[in-house]
């Protein structure tokens, strides 16, 4: 695999960008080697600066459920572009996106649009604190809610990938207000709530964890969280930045039938451009400025280009769901891929754990059930790195980290999955030979 151009670009990049990248996991730190510099994408395919072609299972870390440069989204963006790029004033299209989110996501009666998932989650906990008058939050080990100070405590995603135990620059007084317990551990939640309820503003959770690899909620875990938080006046926040419009039009909350007080969204709602959102109960959202006193703002919030891409994406998803039952098809493709991977594992006599949820999956390089971060962290990440490179050399683009998700998009075909499986068998074989 030729990487001449990517290597040259990366060597230049490290001179002016910390680590050569604008988000840490892109640097391939945990799998080694040089990241390909991507030149273009179309549908399920990516091409790098050296002309290598890949089938993309990263989807820009989740947003591109319609694949790259989806023509209806591109057309709408082209139309919008000629009208100006930013006004810092209300536009009709942001209203249409907000209305669409309110209509489709069960918990969302009112919504505020922001520019990233991190902004959404940090604003949501400020709101939870402002609404309840309480200081502490409870999150789950291995869950990742963006990079705001309050969340970089036992966090997943890049923090887990790089093995960063805590982050310098975050005062202990701040991180001390973030309590953590293992994912799927109802007894640990009960313990914390018993001790801390009077000062606990919210419990924030990825309803399907996807930043320690994919870890679905155990049966009854989400209803349990709903019940215990409601009983103590604690707000329940679902971080659906990844699962929103990924598990269905109503996200994980509709899929599992559990309605949180607040929901954070990002990724898919921007259709590949920067959009985040937080929303929920009208009485809680009434506290957000200027309707209420909890301040939050953004020059580029509701940016006309970004919300155009988001709206075009959600409209396309709704249309596909009506026409062909998109989410059932995505789940079928997910099942097909999972069956194939399990067959490969059997043929190679390997005991690895595959977790799936709809169109998301993670193959953990460890045996035994993975229900929380402690189990995920037992993965042999070095061997994952070998597997990752064997897949990349065979044209399959996966996340350069064990603790992320593999995403199937609406433009992947069964033939793409067959190519994945062919590569998977060979890559596993080589990875375990060494
Ligand atoms: N939330 C993404 C990881 N699961 C972000 C990727 C990144 O950190 O760049």
């Amino acid at each position: 695999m030729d990487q001449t151009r990517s290597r040259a670009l990366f060597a230049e990049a490290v001179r002016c960008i910390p680590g050569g990248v604008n988000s840490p996991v892109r640097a391939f730190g945990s799998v080694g080697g040089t990241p390909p510099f991507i030149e273009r994408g179309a549908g399920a395919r990516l091409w790098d600066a050296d002309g290598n072609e890949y089938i993309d299972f990263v989807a820009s870390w989740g947003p591109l459920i319609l694949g790259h440069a989806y023509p209806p989204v591109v057309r709408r963006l082209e139309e919008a572009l000629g009208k100006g790029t930013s006004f810092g004033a209300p536009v009709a299209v942001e209203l249409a996106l907000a209305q669409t989110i309110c209509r489709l996501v069960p918990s969302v009666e009112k919504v505020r649009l922001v520019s990233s998932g991190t902004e959404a989650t940090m604003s949501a906990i400020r709101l939870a604190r402002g609404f309840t008058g309480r200081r502490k939050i409870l999150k789950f080990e291995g869950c990742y809610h963006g990079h705001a100070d309050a969340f970089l405590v036992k966090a997943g995603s890049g923090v887990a990938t790089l093995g960063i135990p805590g982050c310098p620059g975050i005062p202990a007084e701040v991180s001390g207000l973030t309590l953590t317990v293992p994912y799927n551990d109802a007894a640990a939640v009960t313990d914390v709530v018993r001790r801390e309820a009077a000062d606990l503003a919210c419990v924030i959770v990825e309803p399907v964890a996807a930043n320690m690899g994919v870890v679905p909620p155990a049966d009854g875990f989400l209803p349990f969280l709903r019940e215990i938080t409601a009983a103590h006046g604690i707000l329940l926040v679902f971080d659906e930045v990844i699962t929103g419009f990924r598990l269905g039009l109503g996200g994980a909350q509709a899929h599992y039938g559990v309605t949180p007080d607040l929901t954070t969204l990002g990724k898919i709602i921007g259709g590949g451009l920067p959009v985040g959102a937080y929303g929920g109960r009208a009485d809680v959202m009434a506290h957000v400025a200027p309707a209420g006193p909890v301040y939050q703002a953004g020059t580029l919030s509701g940016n006309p280009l970004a919300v155009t891409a988001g709206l075009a994406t959600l409209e396309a998803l709704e249309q596909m769901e009506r026409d062909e039952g998109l989410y059932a098809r995505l789940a079928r493709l997910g099942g097909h891929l999972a069956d194939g991977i399990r067959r490969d594992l059997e043929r190679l006599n390997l005991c690895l754990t595959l977790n799936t949820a709809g169109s998301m999956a993670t193959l953990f390089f460890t045996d035994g059930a993975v229900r929380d971060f402690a189990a995920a962290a037992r993965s042999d990440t070095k061997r994952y790195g070998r597997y990752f490179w064997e897949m990349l050399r065979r044209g399959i683009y996966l996340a350069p980290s064990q603790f992320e998700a593999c995403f199937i998009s609406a433009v992947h075909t069964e033939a793409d999955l067959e190519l994945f499986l062919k590569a998977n068998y060979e890559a596993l074989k080589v990875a375990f030979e060494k």
Side-chain angles (χ1 to χ4, degrees):
M1 175 183 162
D2 182 14
Q3 280 212 298
T4 313
R5 181 92 184 110
S6 283
R7 285 203 188 105
L9 287 167
F10 193 63
E12 285 292 309
V14 290
R15 289 193 203 167
C16 61
I17 303 173
V21 288
N22 284 312
S23 196
V25 285
R26 294 178 198 173
F28 278 38
S30 74
V31 294
T34 305
F37 274 59
I38 303 302
E39 213 157 72
R40 72 188 174 94
R45 297 288 192 283
L46 281 177
W47 289 268
D48 71 15
D50 291 283
N52 298 303
E53 177 178 327
Y54 309 99
I55 307 178
D56 180 14
F57 289 90
V58 178
S60 189
W61 305 88
L64 297 184
I65 192 165
L66 297 173
H68 295 274
Y70 187 68
V73 175
V74 172
R75 270 198 299 277
R76 293 271 285 275
L77 273 172
E78 282 168 352
E79 281 162 29
L81 195 53
K83 296 183 191 164
T85 54
S86 182
F87 309 114
V91 291
V93 68
E94 73 187 321
L95 167 62
L97 180 60
Q99 286 171 328
T100 305
I101 292 170
C102 290
R103 177 165 54 79
L104 293 173
V105 183
S107 67
V108 180
E109 294 172 343
K110 284 196 173 177
V111 67
R112 166 61 60 82
L113 301 179
V114 294
S115 296
S116 71
T118 289
E119 259 190 90
T121 51
M122 77 181 197
S123 307
I125 60 160
R126 179 180 300 155
L127 175 58
R129 285 168 163 158
F131 179 78
T132 59
R134 301 172 182 180
R135 297 175 310 150
K136 295 183 180 168
I137 68 165
L138 176 63
K139 76 176 276 291
F140 294 89
E141 292 167 14
C143 280
Y144 178 74
H145 305 291
H147 65 87
D149 287 357
F151 296 121
L152 293 188
V153 181
K154 298 192 180 166
S157 190
V159 182
T161 302
L162 302 176
I164 297 174
C167 176
I170 301 176
E173 291 83 348
V174 174
S175 48
L177 296 175
T178 301
L179 312 173
T180 61
V181 294
Y183 194 72
N184 276 328
D185 189 337
V189 174
T190 306
D191 254 19
V192 170
V193 168
R194 195 172 297 138
R195 275 186 282 115
E196 304 279 357
D199 204 14
L200 197 52
C202 68
V203 172
I204 183 164
V205 66
E206 295 179 70
V208 174
N211 285 290
M212 52 176 125
V214 172
V215 180
D219 275 353
F221 183 59
L222 298 176
F224 156 78
L225 290 181
R226 179 62 290 179
E227 212 170 288
I228 193 165
T229 48
H232 292 86
I234 299 162
L235 295 187
L236 179 61
V237 184
F238 274 9
D239 179 346
E240 296 230 42
V241 168
I242 289 181
T243 51
F245 297 93
R246 163 69 53 190
L247 286 186
L249 292 173
Q253 54 199 267
H255 185 81
Y256 290 100
V258 176
T259 305
D261 300 297
L262 291 175
T263 297
T264 59
L265 295 162
K267 298 200 191 272
I268 290 175
I269 63 160
L273 272 77
V275 181
Y278 64 104
R281 278 168 41 190
D283 62 324
V284 180
M285 293 303 290
H287 287 245
V288 177
V294 178
Y295 200 75
Q296 175 271 312
T299 300
L300 292 174
S301 294
N303 171 266
L305 289 183
V307 293
T308 294
L311 183 63
T313 298
L314 300 195
E315 286 175 357
L317 292 173
E318 273 198 276
Q319 186 69 46
M320 288 173 162
E321 179 67 352
R322 270 194 303 271
D323 291 351
E324 47 141 344
L326 169 70
Y327 288 98
R329 177 165 74 81
L330 284 172
R332 271 197 306 280
L333 289 175
H336 180 72
L337 191 69
D339 290 346
I341 294 173
R342 291 203 173 95
R343 258 195 317 274
D344 288 344
L345 293 173
E346 226 172 275
R347 281 163 72 199
L348 292 163
N349 205 17
L350 293 174
C351 263
L352 305 182
T353 300
L354 179 69
N355 280 1
T356 63
S359 56
M360 310 189 289
T362 299
L363 179 61
F364 290 98
F365 280 58
T366 180
D367 54 7
V370 176
R371 289 164 46 95
D372 58 20
F373 183 62
R378 280 196 282 274
S379 299
D380 182 345
T381 53
K382 277 212 166 57
R383 213 178 283 279
Y384 176 83
R386 283 182 211 150
Y387 165 78
F388 166 84
W389 271 104
E390 293 303 327
M391 290 294 272
L392 198 66
R393 280 189 199 105
R394 289 166 175 79
I396 305 296
Y397 190 82
L398 298 175
S401 162
Q402 171 72 97
F403 305 115
E404 300 286 354
C406 168
F407 294 105
I408 297 174
S409 78
V411 290
H412 281 119
T413 61
E414 295 217 356
D416 292 331
L417 300 192
E418 288 313 317
L419 291 171
F420 180 110
L421 291 170
K422 183 172 183 305
N424 183 63
Y425 179 80
E426 293 164 5
L428 282 173
K429 196 157 181 268
V430 177
F432 280 87
E433 262 165 19
K434 287 183 187 167

